[in-house]
Amino acid sequence: MFVTRNPPTDHDNLYATLPTTGPDTAVSVILKLRGETCDIDCLYCFEKRKESPGGTRISAAQVHRLGSIFAGRPLSVELHGGEPLTAGRKRIAEILEALAAQSNVVRVSLQTNGLQLDDAWLDMFDRHYPELEIGISLDGDALGNSWRIGYDGHPTYPRAVEALKLLGRRDRQVGIICAVTPYVLGRAAEAMEHLSSFPAVTTVSLVPCFDGTVTRSTAVVSSRAPASRALQRRAIGPTGPAWAVTPRQYADFVLEAAHHWVASGIFRRIKLEPVISVIRRLKGLQTRSCHFSDLKCDHVLTLYPDDRLGSCDELPWPQAGLISLGEAHAEPFIADAQNTSPLLQRARSLVTKCVTCDYRDTFGAGCPAVRLRFAAAGDDDAYCDHRMRLIDGVAALLAQPDRPSAVPCSRLRWRPVSPNDMQHVAAFLARWDDHTAPRQPARLQVSAHGNINTVGLPGVHEADDLDPHHPQWHEGIEPGVRLVVDVLTSDWLTVTYDSCQGHTYEGVPGAEPRFLSVGTLPSDRAEYARVAARLCRAAGSAEPSLPGVCSLVIGRSELTCRTSGRVYPTLDLHLVPAGGTTSAEYFRDLGQAVDVLTEALAETPTASPSTLCGCVADADRTDGGNQ
């Protein structure tokens, strides 16, 4: 969907408010058809933890009212709960008719546990809203669904499976919401195989149970607690509930699932989230997931039967409440309520540190609702770390889909270089290996700051693409980085496509210093695997001896061929200032850092494509020693 907006600030690029987006930018509205009312009692249910009893139903009149408020922009509507089907066929038919009558409603979905689904429900959907998208909540296999139980304490899994089979018989496509709990950790392949065995399933979304701060069970309205609440009380211990996972556990599970998704071929018919969203962001594309886009809590609203209109349902209530539906006469009334909401102000403030983050273009600032919980516990860094881990792991999977050992590497990070293109990459690679190929004289000009390029100016400018057989090869490499390039090209026999010795740019108004870097261009996946593993090992060797003001970063990036448009995976070395140091301190010790790096590269033996990288091999040795 196209979006238009006023000129954004850096902050707006990560968290857009309603007034900053144009009339073709959709707003998502979650309709809690019966509030938190549900016909089952999942132990981890976040809606029931709000303790706002339901019972009443959203009406068609409320739906029409909502549509009129946002008459100027598209609406994406989700029927939700609790369990939305408890509203009954008659009421949901009326709501679907109301939605179908509004031209600005562009998408309607239903998220259900599936227990009530039958042919009569599906027939009604076909009559009143044939394009209705259906989502089923199912946490993998039977074991994974252990937390999804009825009030009697019995599992609901068998009935959910029957719903999926029914949807398959009706040729319906369905998305699965799979909560990641300890019952699926270490069993991603089993969970993916089970969910993909249902013909109806076309999307699997893995969502985390980040509930480590939950300390008490959900309140009970009646005097007698159902069996499910007794089980919930027993599951909540002094360190949190037994169904909770840590950010790192979730990231590792998603990457394990992603590898199986690729290796097994499941990717050919099933989309896997958040992996698809990460891939799209790695490719510079937008995604519908608010966790990876700028359309966050200000573009996600929740309506309850009692006219409460608030922000995303994952935010805590009543703090997330904004305005009564009856008081929201037009979109600006909602925007004003958002602007004065203390909760949303805190959510927006969390994005501030993302503006300077290396991952800002792929991270998308994450989920404010989850980040607020981690920030309140003083652990927002854990949330950021797991998101970076996801991005690094998926980037590794894209570059090395047949090398599962690459995914756990913690030293190779996603560090896109921009701009990063070359006129004719294939010709450059062919010339690199052919000393007889004709070579044109290079245009080498040196700036006052030591830059070597075609114009002799500081900054990023075009430079001729040279190879070791070119008579001006060494003349074209800046002296401060020449030792590193020589080792990579002569000892490692690796193609380098770019290098920079680093420049202070003192006296150049507004110019930011540039730090030492070397770009390598593996010729195929096997060489990429060898170079990646070897670089990781070399980094592990160099890190203890580097001066404290310098840090070594190995980045995965991509080089675009301007002639063919093809994108080539690259592995780039960056010596950058360590955290908390100045560029002056960095340049003072850069020569020493280059010597350390050069020695480590020279002493690191050649790796085979199957060789584990250094950090994974070290982890395996550590784990083995602890057994």
Side-chain angles (χ1 to χ4, degrees):
M1 182 178 297
F2 293 104
V3 296
T4 58
R5 60 186 84 248
N6 298 325
T9 65
D10 285 341
H11 193 279
D12 288 338
N13 279 325
L14 296 169
Y15 191 124
T17 60
L18 278 178
T20 62
T21 58
D24 56 353
T25 302
V27 168
S28 296
V29 181
I30 302 166
L31 299 183
K32 297 288 185 179
L33 296 191
R34 291 199 68 198
E36 57 86 25
T37 299
C38 189
D39 50 3
I40 65 175
D41 199 30
C42 303
L43 303 194
Y44 55 54
C45 180
F46 71 87
E47 187 64 39
K48 289 180 180 175
R49 285 203 296 267
K50 297 174 185 175
E51 298 177 0
S52 300
T56 57
R57 296 167 171 81
I58 283 179
S59 67
Q62 288 173 299
V63 173
H64 283 296
R65 172 71 181 154
L66 191 66
S68 66
I69 293 171
F70 290 104
R73 68 164 79 221
L75 282 183
S76 176
V77 178
E78 181 174 7
L79 310 183
H80 207 278
E83 171 51 48
L85 298 189
T86 61
R89 270 192 283 273
K90 183 176 183 296
R91 177 56 57 89
I92 292 182
E94 294 170 354
I95 288 172
L96 291 177
E97 286 181 356
L99 291 169
Q102 299 181 59
S103 60
N104 61 323
V105 173
V106 296
R107 176 175 177 261
V108 180
S109 61
L110 168 79
Q111 187 63 37
T112 174
N113 58 40
L115 271 59
Q116 293 191 32
L117 276 182
D118 56 19
D119 285 303
W121 273 110
L122 296 179
D123 290 341
M124 186 271 283
F125 296 155
D126 289 341
R127 287 194 303 273
H128 295 281
Y129 209 101
E131 300 84 12
L132 179 70
E133 300 176 17
I134 298 177
I136 299 287
S137 300
L138 193 71
D139 303 341
D141 55 15
L143 177 60
N145 281 271
S146 298
W147 305 110
R148 299 188 61 80
I149 61 176
Y151 289 94
D152 58 4
H154 295 159
T156 61
Y157 167 79
R159 294 163 65 191
V161 166
E162 289 305 312
L164 283 174
K165 292 178 179 178
L166 168 65
L167 289 162
R169 291 193 299 271
R170 295 286 295 258
D171 293 326
R172 278 277 194 169
Q173 294 185 345
V174 64
I176 296 292
I177 298 289
C178 174
V180 177
T181 72
Y183 279 129
V184 295
L185 294 182
R187 300 192 311 110
E190 292 93 324
M192 289 301 298
E193 283 295 327
H194 184 67
L195 294 175
S196 66
S197 69
F198 298 101
V201 175
T202 57
T203 302
V204 173
S205 298
L206 304 174
V207 298
C209 277
F210 289 155
D211 288 342
T213 57
V214 173
T215 58
R216 65 183 183 89
S217 61
T218 306
V220 179
V221 177
S222 63
S223 59
R224 175 179 291 184
S228 54
R229 298 299 169 89
L231 291 172
Q232 187 190 57
R233 282 196 298 270
R234 289 199 291 270
I236 300 176
T239 59
W243 62 78
V245 296
T246 66
R248 182 56 191 246
Q249 286 174 327
Y250 171 68
D252 288 346
F253 178 85
V254 171
L255 293 175
E256 182 186 346
H259 176 258
H260 184 77
W261 177 65
V262 171
S264 66
I266 294 174
F267 74 93
R268 292 186 177 91
R269 71 175 190 87
I270 290 179
K271 297 177 182 178
L272 179 63
E273 288 288 359
V275 178
I276 290 292
S277 288
V278 174
I279 291 173
R280 291 187 63 84
R281 292 312 301 256
L282 289 172
K283 297 298 183 183
L285 304 173
Q286 292 300 314
T287 171
R288 199 163 68 183
S289 169
C290 57
H291 292 198
F292 290 89
S293 80
D294 59 342
L295 303 180
K296 298 196 181 298
C297 303
D298 286 38
H299 287 76
V300 181
L301 299 169
T302 305
L303 177 65
Y304 283 86
D306 59 1
D307 259 8
R308 284 176 297 151
L309 185 63
S311 191
C312 172
D313 67 338
E314 292 192 38
L315 288 164
W317 284 72
Q319 300 96 313
L322 294 172
I323 193 172
S324 168
L325 184 65
E327 298 172 345
H329 303 297
E331 181 180 315
F333 286 77
I334 295 174
D336 288 344
Q338 291 173 332
N339 189 49
T340 57
S341 164
L343 182 66
L344 291 183
Q345 288 175 0
R346 290 200 300 274
R348 296 186 197 108
S349 70
L350 292 175
V351 175
T352 303
K353 76 173 187 177
C354 303
V355 171
T356 57
C357 177
D358 290 333
Y359 289 81
R360 57 165 291 167
D361 292 332
T362 43
F363 196 122
C367 172
V370 178
R371 289 188 64 180
L372 282 168
R373 297 203 297 270
F374 278 94
D379 204 13
D380 190 44
D381 286 345
Y383 179 80
C384 294
D385 289 346
H386 102 276
R387 296 266 297 186
M388 295 175 189
R389 178 78 197 96
L390 279 177
I391 293 164
D392 292 339
V394 173
L397 190 63
L398 285 178
Q400 302 170 257
D402 54 342
R403 311 284 178 185
S405 59
V407 174
C409 180
S410 61
R411 286 198 181 97
L412 272 67
R413 316 298 295 269
W414 175 248
R415 286 292 187 276
V417 178
S418 181
N420 205 33
D421 53 34
M422 180 182 286
Q423 182 60 39
H424 202 314
V425 177
F428 172 70
L429 289 172
R431 191 167 61 245
W432 187 281
D433 293 326
D434 183 4
H435 70 279
T436 67
R439 290 166 172 81
Q440 299 296 320
R443 299 164 295 170
L444 302 180
Q445 302 291 327
V446 183
S447 78
H449 298 270
N451 309 81
I452 300 178
N453 50 48
T454 60
V455 293
L457 294 174
V460 178
H461 297 279
E462 183 181 6
D464 288 336
D465 303 318
L466 305 182
D467 62 86
H469 301 296
H470 196 288
Q472 295 169 280
W473 167 247
H474 273 92
E475 185 185 348
I477 302 171
E478 295 171 357
V481 74
R482 194 171 290 161
L483 289 175
V484 178
V485 173
D486 280 348
V487 170
L488 291 170
T489 56
S490 300
D491 295 358
W492 286 38
L493 302 179
T494 297
V495 176
T496 58
Y497 70 93
D498 185 42
S499 63
C500 175
Q501 69 179 11
H503 308 282
T504 62
Y505 292 143
E506 291 183 2
V508 181
E512 295 290 332
R514 202 169 166 208
F515 308 117
L516 184 142
S517 64
V518 180
T520 73
L521 179 61
S523 59
D524 54 34
R525 284 181 176 174
E527 184 182 353
Y528 189 101
R530 286 193 297 269
V531 175
R534 197 175 182 184
L535 283 175
C536 180
R537 290 172 178 267
S541 175
E543 283 165 355
S545 302
L546 285 173
V549 296
C550 295
S551 179
L552 176 61
V553 176
I554 307 172
R556 299 184 191 272
S557 188
E558 295 176 332
L559 177 69
T560 301
C561 176
R562 294 198 295 270
T563 300
S564 67
R566 179 179 171 184
V567 174
Y568 294 77
T570 65
L571 293 162
D572 306 327
L573 289 84
H574 307 271
L575 274 174
V576 299
T581 62
T582 65
S583 59
E585 293 171 323
Y586 164 83
F587 282 106
R588 181 196 66 203
D589 292 349
L590 181 57
Q592 179 187 348
V594 169
D595 291 340
V596 170
L597 175 58
T598 303
E599 182 178 357
L601 291 170
E603 293 180 351
T604 303
T606 302
S608 71
S610 61
T611 301
L612 292 176
C613 70
C615 57
V616 175
D618 291 344
D620 286 350
R621 284 194 294 271
T622 301
D623 291 343
N626 291 335
Q627 290 178 352

